[in-house]
Amino acid sequence: MSSKPSPPPPAAQLDVELVTLFPEIFDSFLRASLLGKAIDAGVVRVHRTNPRDFARGRHRQVDDSPYGGGPGMILRPEPVAAAIEAVEAERGRAHRLLLSPSGRLFDQALAAELASRGRLMLVCGRYEGVDERIADLFADEVVSIGDYVLAGGEVAAAVIIEAVARLVPSVLGCEASTIDESFTAGRLEYPQWTRPPSFRGLGVPEILLSGNHAQVAKWRRLESLQRTRVRRPDLLARHPVTEDERVLLDGGVARRRKRPPHER
Ligand code: ADE
């Protein structure tokens, strides 16, 4: 009996190349939850490549002290460059991100843009930084996940993978969730409740039990707006209150919810 050659696997919808000195950091992260399922299903594919495998010498040293002096060690450019080039020689060009606290801030808009690219490379720094020639020669973008300094780019890469992967249609069990988010750009999410109806003396806002979908939607927009005003005035400054929202605030569905201590 002649056996037919099996067809090539379908292309992943998101293809991620991680360049990291600590590939094991991602072990459980890539196995768990919806991302793990998406990887099992071949919808998301992640390869990990260690620059140390490309380092020369008996000790395979990947770092060195900074020119000009100063604390800490800097990742040498050769093993990182060799890792990037080996990955792309084997699997093709990717949109390359270098993770660094001195990069452009990662946000939902960048997550959406990266999701549409399909093939990404996340280069993780360690130590005090990466020789600047890696950014100059290879990075399409330098990206930071926030104004704090991590010990390396691995956790930042995990954040980016999770935020991007959940925008791939078949990853997030419920696509409506992302559609909802896109309508509320520049506003924090409204609060949500589930069963039981009473928990440790706290109930659930009555409107949510009313079955009146139009009123629920209105109430949620107001909650979202008020929460943004209190917690993230910077967002409100960048995305000013619209005419619609002004009407909502003025005519307002009254806030009947008692403020919890963290909101007072
Ligand atoms: N590496 C260290 N800190 C980082 C940050 N905040 N974002 C991205 N990469 C980093």
Side-chain angles (χ1 to χ4, degrees), residues 45-220:
R45 196 167 49 184
V46 181
H47 285 103
R48 289 174 268 181
T49 304
N50 191 338
R52 197 174 294 280
D53 296 339
F54 297 84
R56 288 164 197 260
R58 203 152 58 86
H59 299 293
R60 292 189 172 264
Q61 195 184 336
V62 290
D63 58 345
D64 213 329
S65 49
Y67 280 125
M73 299 290 271
I74 306 297
L75 250 175
R76 291 174 62 109
E78 309 97 309
V80 180
I84 294 171
E85 284 168 347
V87 162
E88 292 193 346
E90 197 166 329
R91 291 183 289 275
R93 179 75 158 93
H95 184 70
R96 305 175 191 139
L97 267 55
L98 176 65
L99 299 163
S100 159
S102 48
R104 155 190 181 184
L105 266 189
F106 182 67
D107 61 11
Q108 193 63 29
L110 182 52
E113 192 203 310
L114 296 178
S116 72
R117 289 195 178 269
R119 180 162 160 74
L120 305 175
M121 181 184 295
L122 305 177
V123 180
C124 306
R126 272 273 148 180
Y127 313 112
E128 288 303 308
V130 183
D131 185 291
E132 190 62 19
R133 288 166 290 191
I134 291 298
D136 294 346
L137 292 168
F138 293 99
D140 294 311
E141 304 190 64
V142 183
V143 175
S144 163
I145 62 157
D147 292 334
Y148 37 78
V149 182
L150 303 166
E154 284 76 8
V155 170
V159 166
I160 291 175
I161 291 172
E162 184 153 318
V164 172
R166 66 185 289 285
L167 299 179
V168 171
S170 41
V171 172
L172 186 81
C174 170
E175 279 176 50
S177 309
T178 51
I179 293 166
D180 208 21
E181 279 162 10
S182 68
F183 279 125
T184 54
R187 301 287 176 263
L188 298 183
E189 274 270 41
Y190 49 78
Q192 305 233 56
W193 289 260
T194 184
R195 275 174 282 271
S198 173
F199 177 69
R200 300 194 180 184
L202 292 183
V204 172
E206 251 169 55
I207 183 90
L208 300 178
L209 310 173
S210 70
N212 185 334
H213 298 303
Q215 283 302 312
V216 167
K218 203 166 157 186
W219 183 89
R220 284 178 166 167

